[in-house]
Amino acid sequence: MTRRGHLLLILCLGLLVAGVSVYLSERRIKEYRSEQFLMDTLVSIKVYGDDAAALPVAVAAAYGEMHRIAALVDRFPLTGTEECRRSDVCRINAMAGIAPVRVDADTLAMLLLAKKYQELSAGAFDVTIGPVMDLWDFAGENPKIPASSSIVATLPLVDSESLEINEIESTAYLRKAGMKLDLGALAKGYATEKALQALVRQGIQKALIDAGGNIRVLGSNTRNAPWRIGIKDPRQGDALVAIVTLEDAAAVTSGDYYRYFEADGQRYHHILHPRSGYPAHENMSVTVVSQDAGLADLLSTAFFVMKGEEALALADKLGVNLVLVSAAGRIVHTSGLAAHLEVLPGGAYRYDPR
Ligand code: ADP
Ligand code: MG
């Protein structure tokens, strides 16, 4: 055999050994997946690891955390019921204008986040939106456009200035009777992050949690490459407009296509502008990529309400990434996402790389 032939043979054997070991390590990794309906959405958790028996135990702990957060923020139980007593948000709302309420450390953390980003977003994000959300009743059987007079009469109750948080006492108080908190914009992401932390405590190193479009991945995928997450076309069912690649991060989308109704040829959806009380109309969808699913969920709602340029500027300032489809059909993203985003060809949108 020539010297070149020898080299080739060694190379081929080397490749074969590498291939077998990858194959073996893939064989060793077990997958466990499970789905539950939680917080008004389908939550799916997939975990990977060598120890098959440990996987369901870890997933049960993760769902435990999600159920715990869901119970804390449930705002619809009737006053005086056991469900309301277990929900911090229900008790705070019931005691609006009456007295402060002692809350769980996680509720306190969510409220502090909400207050901070209400200010940073110049009021685009506001968890005291509850009374106006109730007028629209998006979650109900027959959502309808409220009379403009009732929106105008209700808007003074949307007022984060009147949300008092006492960190030392761990209490929260809505100063005006009739005010209502609605943590729907951040609770799912916050719960997702808590679920991920539970998986990590159980020794899991690879996982994907999908809570109705709130995606959080742990580690890389089973091929040791970044996870590939699709961003939906806001007007085309299951078609995708782009793919983001992620490792150890969250990608959370807020869109006008999740919960909406149509009347007089107009689309009315569930993300409201806190100053007008009507659905925000700058964007069709906003996806935020960040290390923390709670922050990503909060910011996807905040950025959705904001004008594209303002959202991009705030995202840069906060060190998070976003990609949005504007109401005019432009796809734009922060420059930090350039290496992690693949905009798919053939969509009805105009791609404006920055
Ligand atoms: P989804 O719940 O569909 O994942 P979002 O995370 O964007 O979507 O949250 C939308 C929810 O946020 C609404 O159902 C409502 O409870 C709440 N919300 C609506 N508008 C605002 C706003 N401007 N600021 C804060 N919360 C809002
Ligand atoms: Mg959100």
Side-chain angles (χ1 to χ4, degrees):
M1 199 182 270
T2 61
R3 203 181 142 77
R4 200 152 156 250
H6 265 120
L7 275 176
L8 260 179
L9 187 68
I10 290 167
L11 192 68
C12 285
L13 279 175
L15 280 179
L16 196 67
V17 170
V20 170
S21 68
V22 168
Y23 176 70
L24 283 182
S25 78
E26 284 214 23
R27 278 286 294 262
R28 248 199 353 255
I29 289 189
K30 310 279 187 313
E31 174 185 274
Y32 177 80
R33 54 172 80 195
S34 160
E35 287 182 346
Q36 279 191 25
F37 198 77
L38 227 162
M39 297 179 115
D40 253 347
T41 195
L42 191 66
V43 177
S44 117
I45 303 183
K46 290 192 241 174
V47 291
Y48 304 84
D50 300 342
D51 180 359
L55 302 180
V57 177
V59 169
Y63 279 123
E65 279 296 272
M66 295 194 88
H67 281 287
R68 189 175 65 80
I69 303 296
L72 287 176
V73 302
D74 189 354
R75 77 183 189 91
F76 293 113
L78 293 175
T79 318
T81 59
E82 181 52 34
E83 282 79 16
C84 187
R85 271 191 290 280
R86 275 191 283 135
S87 160
D88 283 342
V89 167
C90 189
R91 289 185 307 119
I92 294 166
N93 291 351
M95 292 300 275
I98 304 171
V101 166
R102 188 176 282 277
V103 297
D104 183 275
D106 282 307
T107 308
L108 191 73
M110 284 185 269
L111 292 177
L112 288 170
L113 277 174
K115 193 96 171 166
K116 173 176 173 187
Y117 289 97
Q118 189 270 342
E119 285 162 22
L120 282 169
S121 68
F125 184 85
D126 197 323
V127 290
T128 63
I129 197 82
V132 189
M133 285 303 294
D134 286 350
L135 291 181
W136 287 89
D137 196 21
F138 288 102
E141 301 270 290
N142 298 305
K144 54 178 186 319
I145 309 170
S148 61
S149 56
S150 27
I151 290 187
V152 169
T154 308
L155 279 176
L157 295 173
V158 180
D159 175 17
S160 272
E161 293 286 308
S162 300
L163 162 61
E164 278 177 22
I165 304 169
N166 185 325
E167 274 185 80
I168 295 156
E169 303 281 326
S170 194
T171 60
Y173 178 42
L174 295 168
R175 269 201 300 263
K176 301 177 192 164
M179 283 182 77
K180 282 179 200 163
L181 288 178
D182 178 343
L183 300 190
L186 77 155
K188 229 188 300 165
Y190 187 89
T192 301
E193 194 61 33
K194 282 275 160 180
L196 188 109
Q197 288 166 8
L199 294 178
V200 170
R201 279 198 300 276
Q202 298 283 330
I204 300 294
Q205 292 173 348
K206 274 187 203 304
L208 185 148
I209 306 177
D210 179 353
N214 289 232
I215 309 276
R216 175 66 160 98
V217 301
L218 172 65
S220 52
N221 72 12
T222 50
R223 272 172 256 112
N224 293 322
W227 299 87
R228 292 168 61 78
I229 307 297
I231 296 179
K232 286 199 175 125
D233 183 325
R235 292 293 176 271
Q236 292 265 27
D238 280 337
L240 300 178
V241 285
I243 308 274
V244 273
T245 50
L246 282 190
E247 266 176 89
D248 275 321
V252 177
T253 301
S254 281
D256 66 3
Y257 55 94
Y258 283 114
R259 190 162 288 170
Y260 69 95
F261 63 92
E262 273 168 320
D264 315 325
Q266 274 246 46
R267 174 184 294 248
Y268 296 93
H269 62 82
H270 72 318
I271 304 176
L272 304 179
H273 200 298
R275 267 185 289 278
S276 70
Y278 284 85
H281 51 241
E282 295 293 336
N283 300 294
M284 294 193 235
S285 90
V286 177
T287 303
V288 173
V289 176
S290 138
Q291 237 76 334
D292 180 302
L295 185 63
D297 190 9
L298 187 161
L299 289 176
S300 71
T301 309
F303 292 149
F304 183 94
V305 174
M306 297 165 71
K307 286 189 194 311
E309 286 309 315
E310 288 165 8
L312 287 165
L314 183 55
D316 283 341
K317 181 175 151 191
L318 297 173
V320 301
N321 280 304
L322 75 78
V323 52
L324 65 81
V325 183
S326 76
R330 279 173 71 216
I331 298 178
V332 286
H333 60 82
T334 46
S335 49
L337 218 51
H340 306 279
L341 185 77
E342 193 184 314
V343 175
L344 302 171
Y349 308 100
R350 209 174 67 244
Y351 176 39
D352 286 343
R354 283 215 297 174

